Amino acid sequence: MKRGKHTSSILKTRGEKVFDVFNIFLMILFALLFIIPILLVINSSFTATNELTRYGYTLFIKKFSLEYYKAIFNMESSQFARSILNSIIIMIGTVIIMVINTSLAAYALTRRKLQFKKIISFYYIIPMLFGGGTIPYFLVIKSLGLINTWWAIILPSGVSAWYILLVRNFFTGIPESLYEAAELDGASNVQVLFRVALPLGFPIIATIILYTSVGVWNDWFQASLFIDSNHYDLWPIQAFIRRLEDSDEFLKAYFGNTSLNYSGIRAAAVIISLIPIVIAYPFVQKFFIKGTMAGSVKE
């Protein structure tokens, strides 16, 4: 009798089964909505020009070809490779500054000796809720003489109030006895930060590195705002691709007289821009959930 009750409690009701089927169908539908556009772009980048011009975007490659990728990386189109290098430099510089700024500010907010901690924390919350707007932002960057330089992108992106509060919560969760033990051994605040807090806080730091890297790599707006067309050799990859997508004249000037399908060239450029993030993501993925959950909840 007890076994029957236990079995009946495990069996799902008809409504629960219907919900599970509907949920699975909905998830498959959403997955297709995300996957199919990406698949169309990938296939078009590997389809020969004649076939792409004739059939357009297809779910299956009609005739495999690497001509678009060869065209992008030929000697006449070396600016594309340069834009990738620009993005890598901007991303690395931003990540380094972000980690330094975030860890220093977050660690300071966990110290008992720091006065006015609540006021400082509230000060960090203000820019999370309110922004000055694009025009004041541009005027500040211009007044600092950063227009048409990488610093116009790196410096504003090198600090985030949200990340500071996130890392502060993580550092607060580290037992105070570890900090005190290091201080009793004669360690300074800088030594405590780099020898105790940062090693234990590596999951949240890795999460911030991932967020910052993806955000900077995919950003085109700041480059378009602060770097004009006369300095396109400083453009990151996304700003360069956006110009390729928006302007046929720019694409013609970039590739010259070519018989290649412009849609295939644009698709290949997009795929190439995704490769670095796709390669880097698996290395920090294992820290992603742990770092986000640990830093976002304060006990």
Side-chain angles (χ1 to χ4, degrees):
M1 191 69 180
K2 292 182 179 179
R3 184 178 180 181
K5 290 182 179 180
H6 180 70
T7 303
S8 62
S9 63
I10 295 177
L11 295 177
K12 293 183 178 181
T13 64
R14 183 177 180 181
E16 291 175 336
K17 292 180 180 178
V18 171
F19 175 78
D20 288 343
V21 173
F22 177 77
N23 193 28
I24 293 172
F25 172 79
L26 194 62
M27 293 299 103
I28 293 175
L29 178 62
F30 282 144
L32 291 176
L33 290 176
F34 286 106
I35 293 173
I36 289 177
I38 298 175
L39 185 61
L40 292 175
V41 174
I42 294 175
N43 288 349
S44 63
S45 69
F46 288 106
T47 301
T49 297
N50 294 336
E51 302 298 324
L52 183 60
T53 303
R54 181 178 180 182
Y55 297 102
Y57 293 99
T58 59
L59 290 176
F60 301 97
I61 299 175
K62 299 294 183 179
K63 183 180 180 181
F64 185 83
S65 175
L66 295 175
E67 55 189 343
Y68 300 120
Y69 294 93
K70 293 178 181 178
I72 287 176
F73 285 109
N74 66 18
M75 293 301 294
E76 296 178 358
S77 305
S78 60
Q79 179 55 39
F80 188 86
R82 182 178 179 83
S83 65
I84 294 178
L85 179 61
N86 293 343
S87 286
I88 293 174
I89 295 173
I90 293 172
M91 182 179 66
I92 293 176
T94 304
V95 166
I96 292 174
I97 294 177
M98 175 67 77
V99 171
I100 293 174
N101 288 336
T102 302
S103 58
L104 289 176
Y107 176 75
L109 290 175
T110 63
R111 298 297 81 210
R112 296 177 179 178
K113 297 179 180 179
L114 179 66
Q115 297 181 352
F116 310 113
K117 286 195 297 184
K118 292 184 178 180
I119 297 177
I120 297 174
S121 298
F122 181 76
Y123 174 79
Y124 284 134
I125 295 175
I126 294 177
M128 295 171 57
L129 303 176
F130 306 99
T134 303
I135 295 177
Y137 181 34
F138 178 83
L139 293 177
V140 170
I141 298 299
K142 183 178 180 180
S143 64
L144 294 174
L146 301 179
I147 299 296
N148 293 322
T149 67
W150 287 336
W151 293 112
I153 304 174
I154 294 175
L155 292 181
S157 304
V159 63
S160 170
W162 165 243
Y163 291 163
I164 291 174
L165 298 179
L166 198 68
V167 177
R168 181 203 63 178
N169 290 345
F170 191 99
F171 286 169
T172 303
I174 298 176
E176 187 65 26
S177 58
L178 294 178
Y179 294 135
E180 295 175 352
E183 292 173 354
L184 289 175
D185 289 338
S188 62
N189 282 321
V190 175
Q191 291 174 324
V192 173
L193 170 62
F194 284 96
R195 295 185 180 182
V196 179
L198 285 182
L200 294 176
F202 184 77
I204 189 65
I205 298 299
T207 302
I208 290 175
I209 291 174
L210 175 63
Y211 278 151
T212 304
S213 299
V214 173
V216 172
W217 186 268
N218 291 332
D219 180 53
W220 58 267
F221 179 73
Q222 293 197 87
S224 300
L225 188 64
F226 300 126
I227 302 177
D228 58 39
S229 57
N230 294 325
H231 297 80
Y232 69 90
D233 57 315
L234 298 177
W235 281 353
I237 182 63
Q238 299 301 339
F240 194 82
I241 289 178
R242 181 179 179 272
R243 192 62 182 273
L244 288 178
E245 297 285 348
D246 291 346
S247 175
D248 286 342
E249 294 180 358
F250 183 80
L251 196 149
K252 292 177 181 177
Y254 183 60
F255 287 96
N257 295 324
T258 178
S259 60
L260 297 178
N261 189 299
Y262 286 166
S263 296
I265 294 175
R266 288 165 173 154
V270 171
I271 297 303
I272 293 173
S273 70
L274 293 175
I275 293 176
I277 294 299
V278 172
I279 293 176
Y281 186 81
F283 293 99
V284 292
Q285 183 183 14
K286 59 182 179 181
F287 304 107
F288 181 73
I289 297 178
K290 181 179 178 182
T292 303
M293 294 301 296
S296 60
V297 179
K298 182 178 179 181
E299 298 181 357

